[in-house]
Amino acid sequence: MKDLKNFIKPILFLTLALVVLSLFRSVDFRVMMTKIQNNIQEGLKVVKVTDEKSEINDENLSIKFKVPSIHYDNKEVEKNINSYIKRNIKEYINVQRHINKINSYNEKYILNITYNVVFEDENIINIVIEKNTTWGNKKYKLEKDSYVFSLKNGDRIYLDEFLKGNEDYDVVISDTIKNNIDKKHPLYNKLDINKNTNYYIQDRYINIYFNPYKQSGDNTQYEFKIPYNAFKNKIEVFNNFFLINIEKSIIKKNNKYLKSTLEIPIITSENSEINNKINSIIKKDILNFYENSLKEAESYLQDFDLDNSNFVANSTFEIKKNRDDVISILVKYYKYSGGAHGYYEYIPYNIDLRKGNFIALKDIFKDNVDYKMLINKEIENQIKEMRKNEKYIDKIYEFHGIKENQKFYLQDGKIVIFFDLYDIAPYAAGVPEFPITSKNIENQIELEYMTLIK
């Protein structure tokens, strides 16, 4: 952000100077301001995109393509995005050439592939690849592929991730589309909205489309605008989407007593002091797990004559929530020391990045709220619902209330309460989880935490 401010300052001074100059000279001020605005817009872009053009001529098939090549400060992200797009375009071209060879078209087919950058900010970029095939007498087929990428890690952002926090996004989109088409429309009873559904970003809308979205001889609509306010929870594209970068450090430790692979999350936010504090605590906890596991293995195996042990102690992690103001990470520990199966335990780290504090369950609720009773009732109700489908559920769960330091993580507008192995159920039941939707208890939640959970 500092770089952007430093860039904008001289432009503002230049603008002011030109305004003054225009008072004394016959300068076309409107043309001048248009140029300045264009320069500002270009300067605010964090990704530079250049064209790569080429042409292929097969028998009865001509392919011309102009594909994007992005240039970005983070070279790993740049590589990921470029390779993803080019790989998909190459596969599409190869398929079209193969179809041409098999079918031996009598007519000349011309395929033009171009692109547009339809949305870009400091966190994401949305590139649309357009594929226009023409042949014969004004016959055509238009297709497009929209790719939304995170500029923090180069990963593609699928529809469910873009609309995270809106579990019913498929229903909302389906209903919105059905309200804009009649029952005779080919899509009316065949809408299957899921994470792979095509979308691209446009102002305060997302455009949902189905390929081919246009073709000769068919005026049917296959592209639909869905306004952001159709969804219950806000869309985070304008709210530092994927701002926090969480990388993985791997430590391998092998000796005659214990084999370990330790995955350690490394958080990088804009606040280095908070980063150091959080990373230090999590790393220390993971290394303590290893040291304690090693002591257990040595104590048990020291009287045995062995070259290698089958004792294992590993750690992995899963990111449950990742936003500029809050992250929720689940560190997963696994130990095996012989027997029928290993033992695993999950440790959550729910972090308020505004202050650099770890969030306790009691912190989330207002002071006058008996949060334990509230959560206990929610869990009991969920067990009752499960009992309707499984008559043996009473023999599986023995729930008597949550603990003072109850484990939980945050995800998609929910507080997910979970229990260790054997806490309330046998080993075969795994780690029981009970998601509590924040909307159902929002009156009991502190306002400052309500914004974090959403």
Side-chain angles (χ1 to χ4, degrees):
M1 275 311 222
K2 289 181 180 178
D3 292 339
L4 290 177
K5 290 177 182 177
N6 291 335
F7 175 83
I8 292 172
K9 282 180 182 177
I11 291 180
L12 292 176
F13 285 122
L14 175 62
T15 303
L16 181 61
L18 288 172
V19 170
V20 174
L21 182 65
S22 69
L23 296 175
F24 300 98
R25 296 189 177 185
S26 56
V27 177
D28 190 333
F29 189 66
R30 287 175 298 178
V31 173
M32 179 177 64
M33 287 304 298
T34 299
K35 290 181 178 179
I36 290 172
Q37 288 173 353
N38 290 338
N39 287 337
I40 290 175
Q41 289 174 354
E42 284 300 313
L44 289 175
K45 291 183 177 180
V46 295
V47 177
K48 182 181 179 182
V49 184
T50 58
D51 301 340
E52 289 189 12
K53 299 179 181 179
S54 190
E55 187 173 342
I56 297 172
N57 286 297
D58 291 339
E59 186 178 359
N60 291 331
L61 177 62
S62 174
I63 304 174
K64 297 179 180 179
F65 49 96
K66 181 181 73 173
V67 299
S69 180
I70 79 154
H71 308 273
Y72 187 50
D73 289 342
N74 187 322
K75 295 305 173 185
E76 188 65 28
V77 169
E78 175 186 296
K79 179 182 176 182
N80 287 346
I81 295 176
N82 282 331
S83 61
Y84 189 99
I85 292 175
K86 289 170 184 175
R87 181 175 64 250
N88 279 273
I89 291 175
K90 184 178 179 180
E91 288 176 357
Y92 179 81
I93 289 173
N94 287 339
V95 168
Q96 299 310 307
R97 297 179 75 185
H98 182 67
I99 291 173
N100 177 55
K101 287 181 180 179
I102 293 174
N103 292 335
S104 299
Y105 296 130
N106 294 323
E107 299 173 303
K108 182 75 173 181
Y109 276 65
I110 299 173
L111 171 60
N112 279 301
I113 299 176
T114 58
Y115 74 92
N116 285 299
V117 178
V118 296
F119 182 88
E120 177 191 348
D121 68 5
E122 66 206 55
N123 303 305
I124 66 174
I125 186 169
N126 184 185
I127 299 173
V128 174
I129 308 297
E130 296 182 348
K131 299 173 289 191
N132 182 10
T133 305
T134 59
W135 69 97
N137 186 19
K138 297 182 179 181
K139 293 181 180 179
Y140 67 90
K141 178 177 69 174
L142 301 179
E143 300 174 279
K144 58 187 171 189
D145 294 321
S146 174
Y147 303 114
V148 182
F149 294 103
S150 164
L151 292 176
K152 301 304 173 183
N153 52 29
D155 289 345
R156 185 176 178 183
I157 302 169
Y158 290 91
L159 184 62
D160 62 335
E161 209 162 20
F162 185 79
L163 297 175
K164 63 181 182 179
N166 294 281
E167 298 81 6
D168 61 343
Y169 74 90
D170 54 338
V171 176
V172 172
I173 292 174
S174 294
D175 289 347
T176 305
I177 291 175
K178 284 184 177 180
N179 288 336
N180 287 279
I181 60 178
D182 60 41
K183 293 184 178 180
K184 295 181 180 179
H185 195 288
L187 291 175
Y188 194 86
N189 292 311
K190 296 181 180 179
L191 281 171
D192 180 19
I193 306 298
N194 55 58
K195 65 174 289 185
N196 295 307
T197 296
N198 296 311
Y199 78 100
Y200 64 91
I201 304 166
Q202 185 181 41
D203 194 16
R204 303 298 295 180
Y205 296 84
I206 56 171
N207 280 17
I208 301 293
Y209 67 92
F210 303 86
N211 276 322
Y213 69 101
K214 287 183 181 179
Q215 54 187 329
S216 52
D218 187 358
N219 294 322
T220 308
Q221 180 185 7
Y222 288 102
E223 186 166 312
F224 308 92
K225 275 188 173 183
I226 313 293
Y228 282 178
N229 59 17
F231 304 97
K232 294 177 183 176
N233 292 322
K234 66 180 180 180
I235 311 302
E236 294 182 346
V237 62
F238 296 105
N239 188 32
N240 294 322
F241 193 85
F242 278 151
L243 186 62
I244 305 306
N245 186 35
I246 303 176
E247 297 180 350
K248 182 191 299 181
S249 173
I250 299 177
I251 299 175
K252 292 190 176 184
K253 293 177 175 284
N254 295 327
N255 57 54
K256 69 176 184 177
Y257 297 113
L258 189 66
K259 296 178 181 178
S260 289
T261 300
L262 307 173
E263 291 185 0
I264 302 173
I266 306 295
I267 297 164
T268 306
S269 69
E270 293 182 337
N271 190 317
S272 59
E273 186 177 344
I274 289 177
N275 297 340
N276 293 336
K277 173 186 172 183
I278 295 169
N279 291 334
S280 176
I281 290 173
I282 297 177
K283 183 176 181 179
K284 183 180 178 182
D285 289 348
I286 293 174
L287 293 179
N288 282 342
F289 159 76
Y290 169 77
E291 294 297 334
N292 291 333
S293 300
L294 179 59
K295 288 177 182 177
E296 291 175 14
E298 287 176 342
S299 175
Y300 185 84
L301 297 171
Q302 62 183 347
D303 295 329
F304 291 85
D305 183 16
L306 46 80
D307 294 324
N308 287 292
S309 164
N310 61 354
F311 279 29
V312 173
N314 295 334
S315 75
T316 58
F317 68 90
E318 183 178 350
I319 302 165
K320 292 296 186 178
K321 191 177 187 70
N322 181 359
R323 221 169 59 189
D324 65 314
D325 53 357
V326 61
I327 54 176
S328 191
I329 300 175
L330 207 57
V331 175
K332 301 181 176 183
Y333 295 112
Y334 173 78
K335 289 200 296 187
Y336 179 77
S337 54
H341 50 68
Y343 179 82
Y344 50 95
E345 182 181 6
Y346 299 167
I347 303 295
Y349 296 88
N350 303 294
I351 305 153
D352 182 347
L353 290 172
R354 302 168 302 185
K355 305 172 184 177
N357 296 335
F358 291 92
I359 305 168
L361 191 57
K362 64 180 180 181
D363 296 335
I364 296 173
F365 296 88
K366 295 177 180 177
D367 291 338
N368 61 344
V369 173
D370 186 344
Y371 76 94
K372 288 184 181 178
M373 182 179 72
L374 179 69
I375 291 174
N376 289 340
K377 285 184 178 179
E378 287 284 336
I379 293 175
E380 287 167 358
N381 288 337
Q382 290 187 36
I383 292 175
K384 286 179 182 177
E385 285 298 313
M386 287 189 283
R387 188 183 297 131
K388 293 177 181 179
N389 298 321
E390 295 287 345
K391 60 181 179 180
Y392 299 110
I393 207 73
D394 287 330
K395 297 179 181 179
I396 295 177
Y397 291 107
E398 291 185 8
F399 175 66
H400 303 293
I402 63 172
K403 301 174 183 177
E404 187 70 30
N405 58 343
Q406 182 59 51
K407 293 180 178 180
F408 74 100
Y409 61 83
L410 304 175
Q411 186 180 46
D412 295 339
K414 299 186 185 73
I415 303 169
V416 182
I417 306 296
F418 68 93
F419 298 87
D420 289 332
L421 294 175
Y422 305 112
D423 264 4
I424 66 169
Y427 183 93
V431 175
E433 293 188 345
F434 298 90
I436 300 172
T437 303
S438 60
K439 285 281 186 182
N440 297 339
I441 56 172
E442 60 183 356
N443 292 333
Q444 284 78 36
I445 296 176
E446 284 284 1
L447 183 59
E448 66 169 314
Y449 287 105
M450 191 66 202
T451 59
L452 296 185
I453 297 170
K454 281 184 176 180

